[in-house]
Amino acid sequence: MSVPIKKRQRVKVSRYEPCPCHSGQFYSKCCGLFHSGVKAPSALTLMRSRYAAYAMHLADYIIDTTDSSGPQYEADRGKWKDSIESFASSVHFDGLEILEESLIGSEEAYVAFKASLRDVRGNDCGFSERSRFFFKADKWLYHSGVPL
Ligand SMILES: [Zn+2]
């Protein structure tokens, strides 16, 4: 059975608007760099740029920064993309608070964060997570997360 796919629009953020990761910086000086191809220099910057990518419905960025050996990786890219877009379209990305960053050597890191989210009815659906990242083939990748 196939599920009807609604056409969804990207959320546009211009260069001099605040970054959707809530850093307080201009988008072009923050996650915009990573969304346009600059490699995130740390697990923390990758994490922030993934939050901003969710807020902007950039499903390809989420997929391309997920470790293929992690539990969230899906072989069916089209289906995965659609599920990211439907999640991103169903919530407002109100805030991001970094609680802790820890490095395990140079190729593994953890970032604990609190994401403030609201669903379309205005109900709080935020969550906190400790995410695990690995540095592989010259870039940081999201591997998995544990709820806090
Ligand atoms: Zn940012």
Side-chain angles (χ1 to χ4, degrees), residues 19-23 25-27 29-32 34 45 48-49 52:
C19 189
C21 82
H22 299 276
S23 62
Q25 299 184 63
F26 290 134
Y27 174 62
K29 302 271 184 195
C30 190
C31 300
F34 312 123
T45 48
R48 300 195 76 96
S49 69

Side-chain angles (χ1 to χ4, degrees), residues 7-24:
K7 198 171 177 191
R8 296 188 182 89
Q9 294 213 315
R10 275 190 178 186
V11 176
K12 292 212 172 101
V13 177
S14 67
R15 292 174 55 79
Y16 298 110
E17 281 186 85
C19 189
C21 82
H22 299 276
S23 62

